[in-house]
Amino acid sequence: MATAPAPVTVAGTVAMTRRRRLARTARRVGYYLLVILVCAVTFSPIYWMIVTTIRPVTANLRFPPQLWPTAIDLSAFRALFDHEPIEQWIWNSTLLSLMATLICVVLAVLGAYTLSSMRWRGRGAFAIFLLMTQMLPEALIIVPIFKIYRDLGLRESLPGLSLIDAAFVLPIGVWILKNMFDTIPKEVQEAARVDGAGPFRVLFQIVLPLTLPGLVAVGVVAFFYTWNEFLFAQSMIGDDGLKPASVGLASMISMLDTPIERLLAAGLIFAIPPVIFYVVMQRYVIAGITAGAVKG
Amino acid sequence: MTTRAETMTATAVDRALEGQRRRRLPWLLPYLLALPIIAYEGVFILYPIYQGLRSSFFRQQIGMPEEWAGLANYERLLGDTAFWGVMGTTIIYMVAVIAAAIGVGLGSALVLNRAFRGRTLARAMMTMPWSFPDVPTVLVFLWILNPSFGVINVFARLLPWIEENPTWLLDPRLAFVSVVGITAWKGFPFYSLVILAALQTVPSELLEAAKIDGASPRQAFFAVTLPAISPTLLLLTVLAAIFSFKQFTLIWLLTGGGPSGATETIVVRIYSTAFRFYDFSYAAALGVAGFLLALTVSLVFLAVQRRQDMEAG
């Protein structure tokens, strides 16, 4: 009686563990399939862009297309630089974005400091004012902005364009920095003040050095908001020599004879800088865009 | 004695500090710091809004001076079936994008909310679509949806009832679906990352407790996880409404609002009224109508946010 059930139990346990292990493996495989699905949905358009750009033309102009490259041909990039003024576009975009970034960073530091470190009547109203401007669609004021720019002679000018771009990205800049400033313990600033430091010394010697990543994040967001911006650029700039890359690229769409791999090569060059910077600065940027309302 | 002396010194120090603080932080300073921003946004945002409002009461033709038109532009607006069609398209587009982007965002966040090999890589990938600029996004999707060579046709053809490549952006219904899909593709990873951050704050003890009590993963999700992240989901819904309402570049460059108005939202309509038909005063009136819609959505956002701030303490 006592000995008989023992082997049965052992065999049963072995069978059970095997079945359980199999179920666990199946679940893990299923889980990884889900992960792969998510990544595929996210990445496949970018993958396709890269594949189309780096393979020979003949591979692109056939249906059904092969889903992976079998030969590498980078001549699209050479043709791009030979046939389109892409250096000019990139240079214009860089200048434009630098100007907007400068304006945005300077003003955002002031705004974030007064929102984060000071208590004053009207602070809440100021915050709401910033939020409302952040919500405003650019297209709703394109008509009056266009008329104002025309009357002031600010059209066909990159500095003029950078002014309006900065106005739209500024609120996000303030939120990103305010979030960062809020992470500094109040006591640190208090202590400096007790030691006789004025508010600007506190800002420049204590707050800003501690929140450098936030400052960089604001720079990144402002730079690439302007870099990507299309509506204002398209409406204000008609001169070929002043076109920023977003407008230049869009103008390539309507040129029907542009080969697809050249078009996509241009798009890729334009997209790589923001993607790299955003991947690095992701954490700070997300918090700013959701206006710090998402806790944790 | 000592205690009293100590108290006295403490108050004296306090008073001295107070005085110092007052000297160091004049009451005017916060206003002076806020002023440049208020002035800047005043010139570039508020003044144009005022100008837009003003010119919606005027009539302007090219090369002619403006003349007072009273409510004529608004009368035209109310009787304009195209306008109501555009408003309808705008709202359906917003709802569709919100549902698609938040839905896929939530699903993918739940998938990624686990320790697994390659997690950092997956997160980096999630950052790519929303940091991918609009114009290159349009370029690649025009290619993917190309009726002759587009790769999407390979997959569409797998469906039994599709025998030839659909003309994606030329068929009204397909064009709308495509535009929604592309907007959602660009948007969902952002929501996913935010939801992922919120999921990390769900107390693990609660999930453990639910497990011990014999709750299935699904029950645990509905009883613990969902209530914990619902404030974030609500906020993201409003945020998605604002983002999709703002969307101009993708729609304009993909379809220009066509075919036959199937993808024409209010911002696209404003642009084409102004820069294709040069009807600036009517575009201004459309802008005011859009502004009212934007204001409503923003106020909802503020209300949601305020309630959450209060709940958070």
Side-chain angles (χ1 to χ4, degrees):
Chain A
M1 272 284 272
T3 48
V8 178
T9 322
V10 169
T13 325
V14 168
M16 276 253 284
T17 25
R18 192 174 298 158
R19 209 177 303 139
R20 211 176 285 160
R21 204 176 296 154
L22 214 70
R24 209 200 297 149
T25 314
R27 233 179 298 142
R28 192 172 294 167
V29 168
Y31 174 67
Y32 271 97
L33 284 179
L34 275 178
V35 172
I36 289 169
L37 178 72
V38 168
C39 291
V41 168
T42 313
F43 192 66
S44 54
I46 300 173
Y47 165 81
W48 195 241
M49 191 172 191
I50 297 169
V51 168
T52 307
T53 331
I54 61 167
R55 68 180 174 190
V57 196
T58 45
N60 290 325
L61 297 184
R62 50 174 273 197
F63 190 86
Q66 204 149 26
L67 296 182
W68 51 87
T70 45
I72 300 289
D73 177 0
L74 294 174
S75 60
F77 288 94
R78 173 177 295 267
L80 173 67
F81 281 93
D82 285 348
H83 290 93
E84 313 290 344
I86 185 134
E87 303 101 317
Q88 179 75 49
W89 294 343
I90 298 279
W91 173 244
N92 291 341
S93 277
T94 309
L95 275 184
L96 175 71
S97 305
L98 280 178
M99 288 186 277
T101 306
L102 190 69
I103 300 170
C104 178
V105 167
V106 170
L107 290 178
V109 166
L110 300 181
Y113 193 44
T114 184
L115 270 179
S116 174
S117 305
M118 299 174 195
R119 297 282 166 273
W120 43 289
R121 197 188 281 259
R123 185 172 160 276
F126 180 60
I128 290 178
F129 169 69
L130 282 177
L131 266 180
M132 296 300 254
T133 43
Q134 186 183 347
M135 308 283 137
L136 184 76
E138 292 86 340
L140 294 189
I141 62 162
I142 183 66
V143 174
I145 282 279
F146 179 82
K147 284 165 102 179
I148 293 167
Y149 269 50
R150 189 187 53 195
D151 296 344
L152 295 177
L154 280 173
R155 286 191 62 211
E156 308 297 346
S157 143
L158 292 178
L161 182 56
S162 77
L163 289 174
I164 183 69
D165 286 339
F168 271 91
V169 75
L170 179 55
I172 301 177
V174 174
W175 294 122
I176 294 175
L177 266 187
K178 181 197 175 287
N179 277 340
M180 288 299 288
F181 287 5
D182 284 348
T183 61
I184 301 175
K186 284 278 157 288
E187 297 78 38
V188 177
Q189 292 192 44
E190 283 294 305
R193 233 170 258 152
V194 171
D195 288 346
F200 284 100
R201 256 189 78 190
V202 172
L203 175 63
F204 285 109
Q205 296 196 341
I206 295 176
V207 176
L208 283 181
L210 285 173
T211 54
L212 222 51
L215 210 59
V216 177
V218 173
V220 167
V221 171
F223 190 92
F224 290 114
Y225 171 85
T226 316
W227 179 269
N228 300 344
E229 204 283 324
F230 172 73
L231 174 62
F232 289 125
Q234 165 89 350
S235 322
M236 301 302 177
I237 308 285
D239 186 336
D240 275 336
L242 288 177
K243 269 184 190 164
S246 59
V247 179
L249 276 182
S251 69
M252 281 175 84
I253 297 177
S254 46
M255 290 185 279
L256 289 172
D257 54 341
T258 315
I260 186 67
E261 58 280 353
R262 198 187 298 167
L263 199 59
L264 293 188
L268 211 53
I269 290 176
F270 183 64
I272 286 171
V275 168
I276 290 177
F277 276 94
Y278 272 100
V279 167
V280 176
M281 301 306 295
Q282 187 220 94
R283 208 151 50 89
Y284 307 100
V285 175
I286 290 181
I289 294 176
T290 51
V294 183
K295 304 283 187 287
Chain B
M1 277 294 263
T2 32
T3 43
R4 201 175 150 204
E6 265 171 19
T7 330
M8 273 183 66
T9 359
T11 21
V13 168
D14 267 353
R15 207 173 296 147
L17 282 182
E18 188 101 321
Q20 207 171 24
R21 225 172 277 154
R22 211 167 279 157
R23 223 174 326 132
R24 293 280 170 217
L25 268 184
W27 66 271
L28 207 58
L29 185 67
Y31 298 94
L32 287 178
L33 290 175
L35 191 66
I37 294 187
I38 296 172
Y40 195 86
E41 300 291 313
V43 170
F44 286 99
I45 311 273
L46 295 185
Y47 178 67
I49 291 177
Y50 159 76
Q51 277 295 328
L53 190 62
R54 186 180 164 279
S55 56
S56 71
F57 293 106
F58 283 82
R59 186 178 298 115
Q60 189 180 34
Q61 271 140 352
I62 302 174
M64 304 258 276
E66 285 185 324
E67 57 181 89
W68 176 255
L71 290 172
N73 286 319
Y74 290 98
E75 272 164 35
R76 184 177 153 199
L77 196 69
L78 293 179
D80 186 354
T81 46
F83 165 71
W84 293 109
V86 164
M87 283 304 243
T89 308
T90 306
I91 288 167
I92 297 170
Y93 170 77
M94 283 166 71
V95 171
V97 170
I98 293 168
I102 304 267
V104 179
L106 176 62
S108 54
L110 289 172
V111 169
L112 297 181
N113 186 36
R114 260 206 240 177
F116 62 89
R117 218 178 284 227
R119 192 153 188 255
T120 324
L121 184 70
R123 281 190 69 119
M125 265 184 189
M126 298 298 275
T127 313
M128 287 179 187
W130 63 270
S131 61
F132 215 75
D134 289 338
V135 181
T137 305
V138 170
L139 295 179
V140 70
F141 275 102
L142 284 176
W143 173 235
I144 288 173
L145 300 177
N146 184 296
S148 314
F149 305 113
V151 66
I152 188 128
N153 300 302
V154 175
F155 300 99
R157 292 273 199 101
L158 295 177
L159 300 172
W161 64 90
I162 291 178
E163 271 147 23
E164 48 189 85
N165 295 354
T167 49
W168 295 93
L169 295 173
L170 295 178
D171 173 86
R173 203 176 309 156
L174 276 181
F176 183 79
V177 173
S178 306
V179 169
V180 168
I182 294 165
T183 320
W185 174 77
K186 244 185 95 47
F188 91 87
F190 175 78
Y191 308 118
S192 180
L193 289 172
V194 178
I195 295 170
L196 204 53
L199 283 174
Q200 249 118 63
T201 66
V202 177
S204 53
E205 311 88 66
L206 278 182
L207 287 171
E208 285 297 318
K211 209 173 177 186
I212 291 167
D213 288 348
S216 68
R218 179 178 309 207
Q219 283 171 322
F221 172 76
F222 282 107
V224 179
T225 312
L226 197 59
I229 62 167
S230 67
T232 303
L233 289 181
L234 187 60
L235 190 87
L236 287 182
T237 304
V238 188
L239 218 52
I242 293 163
F243 288 159
S244 54
F245 184 68
K246 283 176 106 162
Q247 186 52 254
F248 168 80
T249 311
L250 289 181
I251 305 177
W252 178 254
L253 291 177
L254 280 166
T255 64
S260 54
T263 57
E264 190 170 39
T265 61
I266 182 99
V267 289
V268 173
R269 183 75 174 184
I270 291 169
Y271 188 83
S272 57
T273 306
F275 296 104
R276 204 179 258 175
F277 305 114
Y278 297 102
D279 195 344
F280 274 31
S281 35
Y282 193 50
L286 282 168
V288 173
F291 184 72
L292 291 179
L293 196 59
L295 202 64
T296 317
V297 181
S298 311
L299 288 176
V300 172
F301 177 83
L302 280 180
V304 167
Q305 208 194 27
R306 176 140 309 182
R307 216 185 61 194
Q308 289 184 11
D309 277 350
M310 264 161 38
E311 277 166 10

